[in-house]
């Protein structure tokens, strides 16, 4: 056990469940999918909870029980079944997938603060806050939370308890008040509750939104690195996952019913994903005669929840990437730690790539477009990485199952368990592919094409960098450090310049701009390759000097 556990300061399973809760589901997740599917989302949630959330959480419970002495979570599971390289690549892709999630959470900070101070959405007017200013303020708030979460001792556990309890408490209040309000109105609802309204049309549009459903309920594996900080992880970690599944059931189903009471599913505002919770609490306040009190209360509870979410995300994703990755694949400068044991360069890379993703959305017309685009980007990348969980589960229940003993077992029959894992893997992979098409904008419009371009750029950069890191590690072994300071400057400058040009081109109406972007990107990559392949000089960069 680590020093924390020797002193008896264990993480309890209810606390871990709350940590998982803030990474998995929130009232805003219900709102996103309500706008995508309307009242039909009720059927979708029933299907998701029983055929996805529950088996998914319990699979994570068994994986956590099998690898209960590992500190890297999902990367440890894949490494334990398939070796160092896949373990490394899993860690990288999971880390990369968390970047858009972190940025989306940072954007929520400004929305929460704006509503908490004004009680309205007036601050979102482009004449008040432009898209570039929205991006800048979100990035500054993001940096402040990074500093806060690592400045104060035990801040992660404290923030998780406060944020998780606040959000779950507001959810219960939201549901109870909705049903009381329903009785007060004599059963009047804004949406139609009928068989036709709740049964989805299983067409291409519906399946393209499944990725957002998966994004809304995945993420519980992020708390797996903390399994070693539990007193009895084999028994307690599965309990945390069961508690999480029960809270998710309550929030998704009853929360969606409550939304239908106050929001007309056939005439929803365009900014429902960004402001829907506030519209609903405002309507409740009017009905109960308490004005905007609920709006203000929810705004600050949501802020506490989002701060906790970001703290857990940043800590867990960096632990997974830096602390449990094979030395021969991860560059030494990224694993460098400070006096407190924090991987400072790893956090710096997180900040850099977060800023990169934020820049991609600068040319979108409004704050609402930026907000929706980041959500949809999460609906692509996040489900893709979730595939690793089902793959790992299939491995521990396959032919070599004797190598992976577990105190907790999900489904005793190995063949059935393996088949369930395969089905969830296939469903998640298909949802990922269909989710690449932009949502919430007119098909084939300029904004649609722009979002398609930045979707592809984001995926290529986030995943492609993970492919390059092992080669950087080999250069460290060969020369003592990967690049000299002049190479670093040239590489970073070329990459940033190429990104800015491509983003600008994507926002124009120039004919053939897609081919211009492709040609420019290829030329930039060739130049970067030519710079990077050169033997480094005698002047290492500052980040590599102390390795």
């Amino acid at each position: 056990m680590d020093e924390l556990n020797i002193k008896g300061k264990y993480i309890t399973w209810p606390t871990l469940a709350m940590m998982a809760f803030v990474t998995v589901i929130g009232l805003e997740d219900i709102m996103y999918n309500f706008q995508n599917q309307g009242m039909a989302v009720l059927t979708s949630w029933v299907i998701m909870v029983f055929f996805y959330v529950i088996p998914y959480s319990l699979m994570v419970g068994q994986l956590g029980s099998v690898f209960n002495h590992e500190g890297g979570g999902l990367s440890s599971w894949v490494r334990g079944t398939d070796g160092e390289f896949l373990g490394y690549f899993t860690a990288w892709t999971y880390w990369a997938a968390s970047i858009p999630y972190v940025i989306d959470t940072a954007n929520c900070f400004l929305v929460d603060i704006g509503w908490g101070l004004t009680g309205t959405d007036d601050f979102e007017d482009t004449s008040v806050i432009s898209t570039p200013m929205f991006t800048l303020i979100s990035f500054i708030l993001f940096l402040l939370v990074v500093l806060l979460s690592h400045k104060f001792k035990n801040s992660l556990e404290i923030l998780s308890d406060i944020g998780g309890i606040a959000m779950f408490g507001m959810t219960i209040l939201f549901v109870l008040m909705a049903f009381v309000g329903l009785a007060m109105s004599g059963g009047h609802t804004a949406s139609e509750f009928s068989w036709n309204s709740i049964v989805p049309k299983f067409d291409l549009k519906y399946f393209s939104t499944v990725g957002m459903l998966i994004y809304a309920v995945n993420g519980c594996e992020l708390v797996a690195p903390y399994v070693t900080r539990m007193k009895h992880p084999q028994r307690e970690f599965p309990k945390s996952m069961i508690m999480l599944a029960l809270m998710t059931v309550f929030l998704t189903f009853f929360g969606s019913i409550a939304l239908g009471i106050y929001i007309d599913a056939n005439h929803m505002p365009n900014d429902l994903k960004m402001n829907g919770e506030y519209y609903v609490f405002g309507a409740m306040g009017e009905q109960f005669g308490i004005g905007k009190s609920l709006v203000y209360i929810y705004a600050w509870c949501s802020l506490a929840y989002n701060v906790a979410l970001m703290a857990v995300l940043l800590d867990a994703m960096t632990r997974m990437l830096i602390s449990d990755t094979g030395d021969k694949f991860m560059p030494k400068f990224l694993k460098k730690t400070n006096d407190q044991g924090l991987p400072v360069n790893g956090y710096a890379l997180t900040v850099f790539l977060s800023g990169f993703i934020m820049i991609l959305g600068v040319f979108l017309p409004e704050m609402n477009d930026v907000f929706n685009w980041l959500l949809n980007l999460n609906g692509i990348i996040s489900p893709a990485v979730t595939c690793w969980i089902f793959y790992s589960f299939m491995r521990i229940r396959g032919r070599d199952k004797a190598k992976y003993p577990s105190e907790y077992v999900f489904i005793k029959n190995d063949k059935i368990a393996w088949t369930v894992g395969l089905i969830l893997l296939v469903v998640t992979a298909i949802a990922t592919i269909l989710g690449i098409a932009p949502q919430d904008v007119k098909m084939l419009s300029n904004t649609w094409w722009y979002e398609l371009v930045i979707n592809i750029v984001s995926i290529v950069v986030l995943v492609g960098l993970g492919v390059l890191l092992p080669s950087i590690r080999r250069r460290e072994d060969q020369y003592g450090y990967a690049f000299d300071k002049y190479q670093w400057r040239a590489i970073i400058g070329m990459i940033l310049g190429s990104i800015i040009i491509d983003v600008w081109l994507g926002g124009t109406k120039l004919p053939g701009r897609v081919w211009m972007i492709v040609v420019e990107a290829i030329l930039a990559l060739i130049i970067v390759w030519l710079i990077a392949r050169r033997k480094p000089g005698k002047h290492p960069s500052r980040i590599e000097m102390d390795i």
Side-chain angles (χ1 to χ4, degrees):
M1 287 289 180
D2 58 23
E3 182 181 355
L4 182 69
N5 288 356
I6 292 173
K7 294 180 179 180
K9 297 179 181 178
Y10 299 102
I11 291 181
T12 64
W13 66 265
T15 295
L16 193 70
M18 281 300 178
M19 290 173 66
F21 178 71
V22 299
T23 65
V24 170
I25 197 75
L27 189 56
E28 68 274 11
D29 291 310
I30 312 302
M31 198 70 61
Y32 305 155
N33 288 286
F34 188 84
Q35 180 165 348
N36 282 343
Q37 298 187 6
M39 292 308 302
V41 79
L42 285 175
T43 302
S44 298
W45 283 129
V46 172
I47 295 173
M48 287 294 295
V49 165
F50 287 100
F51 296 101
Y52 198 95
V53 176
I54 292 177
Y56 162 64
S57 300
L58 297 181
M59 286 178 188
V60 169
Q62 181 171 351
L63 286 163
S65 182
V66 170
F67 302 102
N68 62 83
H69 295 295
E70 301 286 349
L74 180 58
S75 60
S76 297
W77 305 343
V78 176
R79 186 187 64 187
T81 58
D82 286 271
E84 289 287 348
F85 178 75
L86 275 186
Y88 152 74
F89 197 68
T90 301
W92 174 263
T93 53
Y94 204 100
W95 177 85
S98 300
I99 294 290
Y101 196 8
V102 166
I103 302 167
D104 178 44
T105 305
N107 287 341
C108 290
F109 292 164
L110 183 55
V111 175
D112 294 334
I113 293 172
W115 279 95
L117 294 176
T118 68
T120 69
D121 62 351
D122 292 343
F123 67 96
E124 296 171 9
D125 192 293
T126 52
S127 63
V128 178
I129 299 180
S130 64
T131 301
M133 182 59 66
F134 172 62
T135 301
L136 177 62
I137 295 174
S138 296
F139 188 65
I140 292 173
L141 293 173
F142 162 73
L143 292 177
L144 289 175
V145 174
V146 172
L147 296 174
L148 172 68
S149 62
H150 294 98
K151 181 71 174 177
F152 300 101
K153 188 177 181 181
N154 297 328
S155 61
L156 188 64
E157 293 89 337
I158 295 171
L159 287 171
S160 296
D161 281 340
I162 294 174
I165 292 171
M167 179 56 71
F168 193 61
M170 287 302 296
T171 302
I172 293 175
L173 178 66
F174 169 72
V175 172
L176 291 177
M177 291 187 69
F179 282 97
V180 172
L182 180 64
M184 290 171 57
S185 66
H188 173 74
T189 61
S191 295
E192 177 189 358
F193 285 80
S194 66
W195 178 257
N196 290 333
S197 67
I198 67 172
V199 176
K201 294 181 180 178
F202 296 103
D203 52 15
L204 182 61
K205 184 179 184 302
Y206 173 83
F207 287 112
S208 69
T209 64
V210 171
M212 186 60 69
L213 286 168
I214 295 174
Y215 161 65
V217 297
N218 71 357
C220 63
E221 68 282 352
L222 266 172
V223 299
Y226 306 100
V227 69
T228 58
R229 294 174 60 181
M230 305 181 80
K231 190 172 185 179
H232 302 290
Q234 293 93 335
R235 297 196 303 270
E236 293 179 338
F237 189 76
K239 285 183 181 179
S240 298
M241 295 300 98
I242 293 171
M243 179 178 172
L244 168 67
L246 293 175
M247 290 191 293
T248 303
V249 169
F250 178 87
L251 178 59
T252 54
F253 188 77
F254 290 103
S256 297
I257 292 177
L259 287 179
I261 294 174
Y262 287 94
I263 298 176
D264 185 352
N266 295 319
H267 299 89
M268 291 183 280
N270 185 50
D271 61 343
L272 187 70
K273 290 182 179 179
M274 186 164 67
N275 296 315
E277 310 100 288
Y278 296 103
Y279 293 155
V280 173
F281 277 115
M284 282 183 173
E286 290 183 9
Q287 183 180 18
F288 283 84
I290 55 177
K292 295 182 178 180
S293 300
L294 291 175
V295 171
Y296 291 114
I297 293 172
Y298 177 77
W300 297 111
C301 286
S302 180
L303 180 63
Y305 167 83
N306 284 315
V307 169
L309 171 59
M310 177 169 285
V312 173
L313 281 172
L314 288 172
D315 193 73
M317 64 193 275
T318 308
R319 282 173 181 262
M320 185 178 292
L321 176 65
I322 306 299
S323 303
D324 193 60
T325 304
D327 286 339
K328 64 181 180 179
F329 301 114
M330 180 61 63
K332 292 179 181 179
F333 72 87
L334 283 179
K335 303 191 77 170
K336 178 184 174 182
T337 57
N338 62 10
D339 295 337
Q340 288 76 40
L342 297 176
V344 288
N345 287 335
Y347 283 113
L349 182 61
T350 301
V351 171
F352 175 80
L353 285 182
S354 296
F356 155 70
I357 296 296
M358 287 183 175
I359 289 173
L360 293 180
V362 163
F363 291 103
L364 289 170
E366 299 178 358
M367 286 174 56
N368 188 52
D369 296 308
V370 177
F371 196 91
N372 289 343
W373 167 65
L374 281 169
L375 279 176
N376 295 327
L377 182 60
N378 279 308
I380 303 168
I381 298 178
S382 185
V385 180
T386 304
C387 292
W388 287 114
I389 296 169
F390 306 127
Y391 173 78
S392 297
F393 180 77
M394 292 166 61
R395 293 288 289 164
I396 67 169
R397 300 303 296 270
R399 295 179 180 178
D400 299 329
K401 61 180 180 179
K403 294 169 55 178
Y404 310 107
S406 173
E407 185 171 320
Y408 167 75
V409 176
F410 169 61
I411 303 179
K412 300 295 183 181
N413 186 288
D414 292 312
K415 291 184 179 180
I416 295 177
W418 189 91
T419 302
V420 171
L422 176 62
I423 292 172
L424 293 184
L425 174 63
V426 172
V427 168
T428 306
I430 293 174
T432 299
I433 296 171
L434 294 177
I436 294 177
Q439 308 290 325
D440 305 308
V441 293
K442 184 179 179 181
M443 179 77 73
L444 302 181
S445 65
N446 288 330
T447 303
W448 188 92
W449 281 108
Y450 179 74
E451 290 191 8
L452 181 63
V453 169
I454 57 180
N455 279 348
I456 296 172
V457 169
S458 301
I459 295 169
V460 170
V461 170
L462 291 175
V463 177
L465 187 56
V467 176
L468 295 176
L469 289 183
S471 63
I472 295 176
R473 180 68 178 90
R474 288 193 294 270
R475 286 178 63 89
E476 289 179 338
D477 290 336
Q478 184 176 2
Y479 301 117
Y481 49 90
F483 307 108
D484 60 45
K485 62 181 180 181
Y486 303 109
Q487 286 176 300
W488 275 116
R489 290 172 184 174
I491 291 171
I492 293 174
M494 179 58 65
I495 292 173
L496 290 178
S498 175
I499 290 170
I500 292 171
I501 292 173
D502 288 343
V503 169
W504 175 79
L505 284 172
T508 68
K509 298 181 180 180
L510 294 173
R513 62 187 180 279
V514 174
W515 289 109
M516 294 181 189
I517 291 171
V518 171
V519 172
E520 191 282 330
I522 292 174
L523 289 175
L525 288 174
I526 292 174
I527 295 173
V528 168
W529 176 75
L530 291 173
I531 296 171
R533 70 188 296 267
R534 185 175 61 84
K535 180 180 178 180
K538 298 181 180 180
H539 303 281
S541 66
R542 185 179 298 275
I543 61 174
E544 297 190 71
M545 285 178 65
D546 299 327
I547 297 175

